[in-house]
Amino acid sequence: MEPAQDDISCPASGLRVTADFTNPAMGLRVMGLRLVNCGDAPRRIEGYPGVTLLDEDAEALDVEVVNGSGNIAFAEGFDDPPVPFDLEPGEQASAGLMWRNTVTHVDDFRYPAPYLTVSPMPGEEAQLVIPDGDIDTGSTGIAGVSSWKPFPPTP
């Protein structure tokens, strides 16, 4: 069962989440998440996106998603704590999803996730996001997510 492609309409929350490109360097994967205020009122953004990885049947995979890098790798700014900010209509924020494609035990292999759901913030409805390529955590069973930051970054 393949979920429908991302709906380009604005959710009732006024916040729409999409996936950016994935950088697959040397077994370490980092995918961008983009949050757009598509509503008509400012929104206070705080914290981390809530992420669940899904299999080809849109069922949750047994992969833990932690706030920050989860010791997967060091990436500058990835473990920065959340700083609240206002997102005006039309403005964007970004976060990152990090994982490693490492297989150490074939009997504990996590199948690739072709889909994920992302909740912009606690209490907000999760949205289906279809990345450009599978999220392949191998046998690690862990992914990390950074906090939301204004995009483009402010100096």
Side-chain angles (χ1 to χ4, degrees), residues 65-147:
V65 180
V66 299
N67 292 341
S69 66
N71 293 319
I72 296 166
F74 172 78
E76 188 171 337
F78 208 90
D79 288 313
D80 290 351
V83 175
F85 60 95
D86 292 324
L87 197 64
E88 298 293 328
E91 290 184 337
Q92 300 180 38
S94 65
L97 182 67
M98 173 190 293
W99 70 95
R100 274 200 188 280
N101 179 17
T102 302
V103 177
T104 56
H105 306 291
V106 292
D107 57 339
D108 194 24
F109 180 74
R110 306 307 200 283
Y111 289 94
Y115 313 113
L116 59 150
T117 58
V118 180
S119 174
M121 294 184 304
E124 297 284 348
E125 185 174 342
Q127 300 171 34
L128 177 67
V129 176
I130 303 173
D132 184 22
D134 291 345
I135 299 171
D136 51 350
T137 63
S139 60
T140 66
I142 189 168
V145 66
S146 71
S147 62

Side-chain angles (χ1 to χ4, degrees), residues 2-91:
E2 182 172 317
Q5 291 294 318
D6 288 0
D7 187 348
I8 59 170
S9 65
C10 188
S13 68
L15 298 171
R16 180 178 49 241
V17 180
T18 58
D20 276 343
F21 70 94
T22 300
N23 183 346
M26 298 176 55
L28 176 65
R29 314 290 200 246
V30 179
M31 180 181 75
L33 296 172
R34 191 66 56 94
L35 180 66
V36 178
N37 182 345
C38 56
D40 55 6
R43 292 294 308 268
R44 188 73 168 166
I45 305 301
E46 187 171 3
Y48 298 87
V51 177
T52 302
L53 304 182
L54 306 176
D55 67 14
E56 65 277 352
D57 295 322
E59 298 292 328
L61 286 169
D62 183 22
V63 174
E64 180 182 14
V65 180
V66 299
N67 292 341
S69 66
N71 293 319
I72 296 166
F74 172 78
E76 188 171 337
F78 208 90
D79 288 313
D80 290 351
V83 175
F85 60 95
D86 292 324
L87 197 64
E88 298 293 328
E91 290 184 337

